[in-house]
Amino acid sequence: MNTYDIIIVGAGPGGSIAAKNAAEMGLKTVFFERGRKPGEKNSSGCGLGPRMWKDFEIMKELTPEKCPSMRAGAASRNYFVNKEDIVAGYIMARPTESVSYEPAKSWITMNVYRSEFDPWLAEFATDAGAELKTSTLIVDLIKENGKVCGVIDEKGEKYEASIVIGADGVISTVAMKSGLRTKWAQNQVTLVPQYDFQAPPEKIDDIMGDEALGVWWGATFPASYQVFFRDGFHQGLGNWMSWWDKNPLFYLNKVVNLKYYQRLLKILEAKPRELQAHLLPWLDYPYNTYTDGVILIGDAGGFPCPLEAEGIYPAMITGKISAQIAAEAIASGDVSKAVLHKFDEEWQKTSIGEEFEAGYELWNIWKALPFSPKETMSWFVPMIMEVLGGIFDWSQPHALRIRQIASHVKSYMPKATPFIMKYVIPLVAKTFEDDLDKLMDPKKIMTILPKLLELLPQKKRKRGGKEK
Ligand SMILES: Cc1cc2nc3c(=O)[nH]c(=O)nc-3n(C[C@H](O)[C@H](O)[C@H](O)COP(=O)(O)OP(=O)(O)OC[C@H]3O[C@@H](n4cnc5c(N)ncnc54)[C@H](O)[C@@H]3O)c2cc1C
């Protein structure tokens, strides 16, 4: 029997940060990876958000020398694709004036391939003294009196520890074998197919400039994302398992076959390098994340962001907290569920806890908008383009155009109003929950109202702008 203080199953971002922190606190730590190296089994690339640099000092050590695929970008492009599969318009956006974290003013994501990023991260853990066992698939848990106290690999080798951290991703053996979960419900897990395209770095830079991401908002496919790396890019899309009525590739190919997209591929000299398909948990709130001797972190615990399923940062945050809680529990000699409950309390105090406070509303609006192409995006795309692009018509006087646009936008109101009431208002109410009573304070309204009324024109203006 191999004995440790703490066992971590999985060497993704969550597992590596848990292992690093546990080893730094002096715990005898081992972390297991079924792949030949960390990152081998993951989606090939991803975008890392500035929050990671804010909360993890080590991120400042990530350089192109360590991670050659790295590409930072300051802009994102949102394409709107209508029912006829035509790109009806797009918006390119850069960080706006209200962005408060200084580095986030100059880049929105740092894009990297996981085959470089995950091993880089795991090295911090091994440098801190954690033992990494690669090519080792954990297939079961050891239990004593019904309580977890170790793991068994596929060769039957046993490893014992006071605490097991499940950092083993979306299909978590630790979650299932500990009894914390059987499997995800159909509306808790998404299937994400994606193409990885190869393209010459100089082409990407020349044509995309400092753009890092693209989102293709479709009326005939669920929103599709595009992430640019140094020498290639990803095009992928997903939806909950409950949604698909056709093979998911059918929808992804719709994006790639758009005339606009084909032109982009041509000018970027892009060639498909790989087709991948991954599962990704997407919950409105994580649940059942701990029991006697077990904590689940990252994807295993259902921690990706409820709005857009950014999952690396939550995996790292929960990894760090799990190590802290495990160390305290081991030191106290009590690793029971009652003590490990503190894991929930601690992550709820972090930035991801704050995110999940409005988890249901965020998750719900995503479901109703980009994940409902036929029901919502089919009217949303022409409506938004009417507002953004309607004025570009020189066949009528401008004043008439404005009236035509307003009247046309009004025709969408029977669809837009229930949508706003059902999805937007609850999100706004949740987000401003603490200030809502102030906004609704009758005394405050009574002081503001007369001022607003003063602003209204008192006299009817004559055409030509002169007063009577
Ligand atoms: C297509 C796609 C694109 C994404 N893009 C982004 C993005 O741009 N930005 C972002 O922040 N997030 C993104 N995500 C989400 C992100 O990939 C995950 O949320 C994140 O990787 C979770 O980290 P983790 O450490 O919890 O799990 P994982 O990264 O999944 O790591 C789990 C590790 O455990 C290993 N493992 C599993 N089972 C066992 C076992 N039984 N024994 C031993 N080892 C095991 C796996 O091989 C793996 O290395 C994306 C996800 C997908 C599917």
Side-chain angles (χ1 to χ4, degrees), residues 257-314:
N257 287 324
L258 295 171
K259 275 194 187 141
Y260 195 104
Y261 199 92
Q262 286 292 318
R263 284 213 306 275
L264 197 59
L265 289 181
K266 199 166 156 191
I267 57 173
L268 284 168
E269 291 174 13
K271 296 192 175 53
R273 183 158 46 189
E274 205 173 287
L275 169 65
Q276 313 164 354
H278 289 269
L279 294 172
L280 173 63
W282 198 320
L283 273 67
D284 58 346
Y285 207 87
Y287 63 99
N288 285 0
T289 54
Y290 61 92
T291 186
D292 296 316
V294 177
I295 300 177
L296 301 179
I297 63 170
D299 279 14
F303 283 101
C305 159
L307 183 69
E308 46 180 332
E310 173 203 12
I312 294 181
Y313 172 78

Side-chain angles (χ1 to χ4, degrees), residues 6-20:
I6 182 165
I7 286 172
I8 296 152
V9 183
S16 289
I17 291 295
K20 171 184 181 288

Side-chain angles (χ1 to χ4, degrees), residues 111-173:
N111 303 336
V112 290
Y113 275 111
R114 298 285 297 269
S115 54
E116 296 166 0
F117 177 71
D118 285 26
W120 172 79
L121 206 56
E123 218 176 295
F124 285 96
T126 51
D127 285 352
E131 194 180 330
L132 171 62
K133 285 189 181 291
T134 51
S135 302
T136 310
L137 178 72
I138 299 304
V139 292
D140 209 346
L141 300 179
I142 308 171
K143 290 184 187 167
E144 231 174 63
N145 302 325
K147 295 191 176 159
V148 175
C149 58
V151 299
I152 308 174
D153 72 16
E154 63 184 330
K155 294 186 186 120
E157 191 77 28
K158 293 184 175 166
Y159 304 85
E160 211 178 48
S162 308
I163 289 198
V164 174
I165 308 277
D168 46 351
V170 56
I171 307 175
S172 166
T173 303

